[in-house]
Amino acid sequence: MKVLISTDIEGVAGVYHPEQTRAGNGEYERARRLMTEEANAAIAGAFEAGASEVLVNDSHGGFRNLLPDQLDARAQVVQGKPRYLSMVAGVDEPGIAAVCMIGYHSRAQGRGILAHTINSFAFARVWLNGQELGEMGIYGALAGEYGVPVAMASGDDVFIDEHRPLFPRTRFVQTKRATGHTAGISLAPVAACAAIRAGVAEALRAPLPPAFVLSGKIAVRIQTQTAALADLFCQWPSLERLAGDEIGFEAPTVEAAVRMINSLSAMSSMLR
C-alpha cells in the first residue's frame, strides 16, 4: 500500500497567526518545525498500518516549508512549485491507495483558525458544481478523479465540522479548537502528534472510504476579494463575469479546474 500525505500549516497544533505561516521570521521557523513533526507522526502511522511507501507533499505557500533533513527517512518528500496537481501532487503515482491531509483548515469566510481557500488575497469563496468547497473539498475531489480516497485529515474543529458531511467515512483528528480567526485552544504539539499517528494508523487499517468524486463537466464560480481582481481575471477570454466580484468558467475535469484556479492565484500577484 502506497500512501500520500499532504501537509498544510494553518491546521497544525500551536499555529494561530499569519506571521507563523510566512517565511522570514522566527515564528515561521518554529511553525515549520511543528509542521514537520506532524508530518513525521503521519508517516509513522502509515508505516505502522503496513504502508510499503509514503510520499509527503509539502502543501503550504511556496511548497518549501517541511524540513527535509528532519523528516522520517523512510518517506519521500514532494516540494517546490509550480506543479499541476498542487496540494495532492503525487496522487498520480502508480499504486497510491489513500491520501491523508495533515494541518488543513476551514474554507474562506469560515470561522476556523486562519480560514482561507488557496489564496486569501484573491479568493473570497469558491464553488465547484454548486458546492462551496475549501481546500480539502477541492483537492479531495482532485484525488477522487484519480480514484484515491481521503482516508484521514487533521485540523481544527471548524474544519472538521465543514468537511465531515462531504467525507463522512474519513477519519478526522482535531488538533485545536477555534475561538476566532487568529485564536484558539490547542493540544500540546506532542499530544497532537500522538493523535495524528494513531488516527492515520487506524484509518489505513480500516476499509478505505469511497473517493469523493465530482462527475461531468466542472462549473466553477469564484467570488473574488475585490472587483479589481475580477477585472484582472476576466482578461482570460474563457472566463465569464457573473457579478462585480464574481467570475465563472467551465472545465472538463477537476484537474483542469484546479490548474485554472491556481493560474488565477498566480495572476493575482499583479495587484498586490
Side-chain angles (χ1 to χ4, degrees):
M1 174 174 59
K2 293 172 66 173
V3 177
L4 175 65
I5 297 170
S6 175
T7 56
D8 208 346
I9 201 168
E10 287 87 357
V12 168
V15 174
Y16 300 101
H17 194 275
E19 185 177 20
Q20 294 176 278
T21 72
R22 297 170 182 158
N25 66 84
E27 287 293 312
Y28 165 76
E29 293 302 325
R30 280 187 284 273
R32 72 193 296 212
R33 176 176 55 80
L34 296 175
M35 179 186 181
T36 302
E37 290 170 356
E38 290 197 2
N40 278 336
I43 295 166
F47 281 113
E48 283 176 13
S52 58
E53 187 175 334
V54 175
L55 295 179
V56 182
N57 181 323
D58 189 329
S59 299
H60 173 69
F63 299 164
R64 293 183 295 111
N65 310 276
L66 292 171
L67 299 165
D69 59 332
Q70 294 184 28
L71 274 175
D72 188 318
R74 295 174 293 177
Q76 298 178 73
V77 62
V78 181
Q79 291 186 296
K81 64 174 14 177
R83 55 196 195 207
Y84 292 158
L85 301 183
S86 189
M87 295 179 76
V88 290
V91 76
D92 56 336
E93 291 285 317
I96 295 291
V99 175
C100 297
M101 295 180 167
I102 305 300
Y104 271 59
H105 51 81
S106 173
R107 66 175 177 254
Q109 310 304 312
R111 299 188 66 179
I113 296 167
L114 299 172
H116 69 281
T117 302
I118 299 177
N119 183 327
S120 58
F121 172 77
F123 308 133
R125 301 174 78 182
V126 178
W127 294 263
L128 270 59
N129 285 357
Q131 295 188 77
E132 185 175 6
L133 298 177
E135 290 172 16
M136 182 179 180
I138 292 168
Y139 287 101
L142 179 50
E145 207 159 68
Y146 283 86
V148 179
V150 180
M152 179 271 183
S154 70
D156 70 23
D157 59 322
V158 177
F159 160 73
I160 293 170
D161 289 345
E162 282 181 0
H163 290 90
R164 198 185 297 278
L166 292 176
F167 299 88
R169 289 177 53 191
T170 294
R171 170 87 179 190
F172 287 96
V173 171
Q174 182 178 320
T175 57
K176 54 192 174 183
R177 176 161 57 90
T179 60
H181 186 74
T182 55
I185 300 169
S186 177
L187 294 178
V190 66
C193 286
I196 288 168
R197 181 172 182 166
V200 170
E202 291 169 7
L204 296 178
R205 287 187 183 120
L208 294 174
F212 175 52
V213 177
L214 298 179
S215 58
K217 291 184 178 180
I218 307 302
V220 181
R221 180 161 64 99
I222 298 173
Q223 181 183 3
T224 59
Q225 292 287 6
T226 66
L229 283 160
D231 291 341
L232 173 65
F233 296 158
C234 284
Q235 295 295 317
W236 205 295
S238 60
L239 269 63
E240 179 184 2
R241 189 68 167 264
L242 302 176
D245 62 352
E246 286 190 10
I247 62 169
F249 63 91
E250 191 174 83
T253 62
V254 175
E255 181 176 338
V258 165
R259 290 170 65 172
M260 175 64 87
I261 291 168
N262 284 324
S263 294
L264 297 177
S265 176
M267 285 176 66
S268 72
S269 64
M270 295 177 63
L271 296 184
R272 281 186 181 270

